[in-house]
Amino acid sequence: MKPIFKRILTLTFCTSVSCFSIFAQSISGKISSKNGEVLKGTSLRILNSNLGTITDSEGNYQFKKVPAGNLTLEISGVGYSTRTQKITTKSSENQEVNVVLAESSSQLDEVIVSAEKVEQKAQKLPLAVSTITSKQVADYRLWNVKDLVAIVPNMYSASPGDDKNNTSIRGITSTSYDQPVATYVDGVNQFRLDAYIPQLIDIERIEVLRGPQGTLYGRNSMGGVINIITKQPTNKTAGFAEANFGSYGTQRYTAGVRTPLIKDHLFVGASVMLDARDGFYTNVFDNSKFDVHQSFTGNYFLKYVASPKFSATFNLKQYNRKNSGSFTLAPYALATLDSMKYKVNYNAVAKDNDNTLNGSAVLNYFGNGVDITAITAYQTNDRFYEGPIDADVQLPFKLQSLDVNAIEVKNDAKQNTVSFWTQELRLSSSANTSSNLKWTLGGFYFTQNDPSAQTLLIGADGAKFGQPKNAKSSTNALADNNGYALFGQAVYSIDEDFDITAGLRYDSENQKLTLGSKFQQGNFVLPTLKDTTASASFNAFSPKFSLTYKLDENQMAYISYSRGFRAGGFSQLGFDPSDAPLIAYSPEYSTNMEFGWKGTYFDNRLRANFTLFGIQVTDAQTPTLVPELGFRTATRNAGNFSSTGVEIELSGNIAKGLQVDWNFGTTAATYSKLAIPQSVFVAGKSQKVETNFTGNRQIFTPNVTSMLALQYGQSLNKNVQFIARTEWRLLGKQYFNLANTYSQEDYSTINIRTGFSTKNFDLMFWGRNLSNTTYIAYAYSFGAATLGNPRTIGLSLTGRF
């Protein structure tokens, strides 16, 4: 046999059987409750490793081979609070570790997060992070990322009409598809809203990092990061199925299974969701249902664990949505009138077809001193409309409609198909190291291909409004972008009381946008304009520094500084290439100062977190109306603003079976400089003027968010528990345009969830917005608004095995 083949076989054999000396010791023990009952089927795993197991019928467990060093063991069981146990192992030493769990009705979970790219306790991190566990996802009845509003202090999220959520945190927001709050699912950046999957199914936990996270997460995380982790397959075969039925024809079916194919080595998992809704709106043009929605979501895993040192996880996610009547828009002044609520007047209704596919491969290597992670991802979205969309909101004329599948310029069947490649490589000090210095280094690369095309159709009534009738104005654009980043972060423990964290990231991005256009009226066709191309490059350094003081094992305080960066881009300002149709706007920067206090009290029955923040934003990218382009919105660097606020998160088991959660935030986001160039028509001619909006409030930023939740559980017998839950959500006043002429006053909604729960089944009645409060959820700067959902009630049946 040739030497090269011998080496390959030897490496494969050693990887499979773990012939590494650092994995020579074992850990075993028993898991029991406080009353001495042994707990079978309890899950255990060692953080930042491939090692996991479950207890047998006697409550016993064993890890046959574990690394030497400082380890953290996480223990979780149905009906019991999740807790962690620190363990220090030595080479060739076998240890016995017995753990006692408290009932979840008497103690809070110890929450583990991966917010800083390694798994650790959330209460030990020097940053503001909101955590939602798998149990809380069910308790809050979270179906969509935008349902996190107010659960996360100072977070707001709403759909502009196309089921893509525009999200803001602490006043950092945007109306474009390049959002300032980054969303990660299973470690993969949902690069833009094009390839974004908002549905939540089979969730392990959700982490929301508030404030700039540029050092580790990079571009477009100025406002924060939403980090979603779905449940992974393990040695324990588990599954679920759930059916929901509710108002407005709501149907939602979910199911999933996770199982080992080869114990300890090969695992598969799959979860799917099908939902449908008749729509909240009526189209008065023909008295038909509007916004009739249905979608399918899938999440599929294949995980190979070659050894305790190496694993490979392959994941495929899909999201297929159809909506007959996207963009439920009405004039702002009419939207909330009793006679117009949940009504639109559309003479052109398009069926929105949105198909997203995300694939990723994650490789993990846990070495002796260094851990390595590589994440490769491909995301694509194919979106098209069957027919044009009515573009003259509520006007009973055949004036304007928009064909988003325009192929007037280039005959390309995939005109609106976007795609993204991303690659991240990360090296970090081993999680089990006893060194005072822990570090992370990495690199990130992306490519983006983003074509789009649309045609503005002017109907037979165009002449009534001074526009050419029966005309078509088509535009075609192609964005071809790429970029890379290098980053590093280190945490040094000065002593048992003080930690210093320092980090730095360099981002470099290249953008290229090509634009073409064509105009046709009747049989008259203008020559197709020559494509116009513009390119620009952006780069930035994003530093971070924090100091942590640990008062004791349960309390800590920190102060931090960080800088945020949002890449620049292009605005389309005209159709004629001689009129400079593509103008670059610059990056936006933020400086963030934050003070935080975290504590757990009364044997983990009460958790209290407090945050005080201040943000300065320069070169703010603001949406600006361009009337001569049919009131399109362009982005310009038009001002600076500051945002200050307070956040409070309280969670406690105040009595057996009674849990209270209160999440509260205030944000005062005000422009210290805001001068917007606008176009006005004087004597039939367009003139450019500058309007000063200094002192105005930031858009999509409620000045208060509050969520108060009370849940009571009472055991009816050994197997059945009765659960009653109510939630009161309050959102303060917010504005939807920079002139602050479109706004929503403060309002509140009530949610409930009550029913019966056993180990394997739940039967729950739920209600959302029981007060049937009418409020504007999103409004455009040109004066069109969409309402939040009305009162809905429903029934949920869940089975687990």
Side-chain angles (χ1 to χ4, degrees), residues 740-758:
N740 286 183
T741 54
Y742 303 139
S743 65
Q744 170 61 55
E745 297 296 326
D746 59 279
Y747 66 93
S748 63
T749 59
I750 301 291
N751 302 329
I752 66 166
R753 181 174 179 266
T754 185
F756 302 93
S757 178
T758 70

Side-chain angles (χ1 to χ4, degrees), residues 29-40 42 55 58-61 75 80 83 98-103:
K30 184 183 291 289
I31 309 299
S32 60
S33 66
K34 284 190 173 183
N35 62 13
E37 179 185 2
V38 296
L39 301 179
K40 65 178 181 179
T42 301
T55 57
E58 299 298 324
N60 297 313
Y61 74 92
I75 312 100
Y80 292 88
R83 62 163 294 183
N98 299 319
V99 180
V100 176
L101 297 183
E103 292 183 5

Side-chain angles (χ1 to χ4, degrees), residues 17-28:
V17 301
S18 305
C19 48
F20 299 92
S21 60
I22 62 168
F23 286 88
Q25 52 283 333
S26 68
I27 298 175
S28 61

Side-chain angles (χ1 to χ4, degrees), residues 422-500:
T422 61
Q423 176 67 59
E424 181 173 346
L425 178 64
R426 193 168 66 244
L427 289 77
S428 61
S429 55
S430 292
N432 60 336
T433 181
S434 58
S435 171
N436 287 354
L437 179 65
K438 297 178 176 62
W439 52 268
T440 299
L441 296 173
F444 179 81
Y445 178 77
F446 78 88
T447 62
Q448 172 188 353
N449 184 269
D450 193 348
S452 62
Q454 61 186 28
T455 295
L456 181 65
L457 307 172
I458 303 175
D461 294 321
K464 298 178 182 179
F465 296 86
Q467 299 185 23
K469 67 177 183 178
N470 297 325
K472 298 180 180 180
S473 179
S474 303
T475 60
N476 174 88
L478 173 63
D480 188 6
N481 307 330
N482 64 79
Y484 72 91
L486 300 173
F487 59 88
Q489 180 169 296
V491 181
Y492 181 72
S493 297
I494 301 174
D495 53 31
E496 293 182 354
D497 297 330
F498 287 96
D499 291 344
I500 293 178

Side-chain angles (χ1 to χ4, degrees), residues 376-596:
T376 305
Y378 175 73
Q379 304 168 47
T380 182
N381 174 263
D382 181 17
R383 187 175 182 185
F384 62 95
Y385 288 82
E386 298 177 26
I389 306 170
D390 196 334
D392 47 70
V393 180
Q394 295 294 110
L395 292 179
F397 304 103
K398 294 182 178 179
L399 181 57
Q400 291 185 348
S401 60
L402 194 64
D403 184 356
V404 186
N405 307 308
I407 53 174
E408 300 291 331
V409 181
K410 294 181 179 180
N411 293 320
D412 181 1
K414 295 293 183 181
Q415 195 72 47
N416 288 323
T417 299
V418 302
S419 61
F420 313 95
W421 279 101
T422 61
Q423 176 67 59
E424 181 173 346
L425 178 64
R426 193 168 66 244
L427 289 77
S428 61
S429 55
S430 292
N432 60 336
T433 181
S434 58
S435 171
N436 287 354
L437 179 65
K438 297 178 176 62
W439 52 268
T440 299
L441 296 173
F444 179 81
Y445 178 77
F446 78 88
T447 62
Q448 172 188 353
N449 184 269
D450 193 348
S452 62
Q454 61 186 28
T455 295
L456 181 65
L457 307 172
I458 303 175
D461 294 321
K464 298 178 182 179
F465 296 86
Q467 299 185 23
K469 67 177 183 178
N470 297 325
K472 298 180 180 180
S473 179
S474 303
T475 60
N476 174 88
L478 173 63
D480 188 6
N481 307 330
N482 64 79
Y484 72 91
L486 300 173
F487 59 88
Q489 180 169 296
V491 181
Y492 181 72
S493 297
I494 301 174
D495 53 31
E496 293 182 354
D497 297 330
F498 287 96
D499 291 344
I500 293 178
T501 301
L504 183 66
R505 185 184 186 103
Y506 176 75
D507 282 280
S508 179
E509 186 167 329
N510 304 305
Q511 294 192 12
K512 179 182 178 181
L513 183 62
T514 302
L515 177 72
S517 60
K518 182 179 180 180
F519 178 82
Q520 176 179 349
Q521 183 177 13
N523 295 323
F524 174 71
V525 181
L526 284 176
T528 300
L529 297 177
K530 182 180 179 181
D531 286 354
T532 300
T533 299
S535 60
S537 297
F538 310 100
N539 55 74
F541 286 98
S542 301
K544 175 183 179 178
F545 177 83
S546 69
L547 177 64
T548 304
Y549 173 59
K550 292 166 281 190
L551 285 78
D552 53 41
E553 183 63 24
N554 298 315
Q555 297 181 95
M556 62 168 282
Y558 68 90
I559 186 169
S560 68
Y561 160 84
S562 59
R563 190 167 187 253
F565 159 73
R566 179 153 41 143
F570 295 97
S571 284
Q572 178 185 331
L573 301 181
F575 290 109
D576 187 348
S578 64
D579 192 31
L582 297 177
I583 302 296
Y585 54 89
S586 301
E588 177 178 302
Y589 300 95
S590 71
T591 301
N592 181 74
M593 292 293 297
E594 182 174 301
F595 168 79

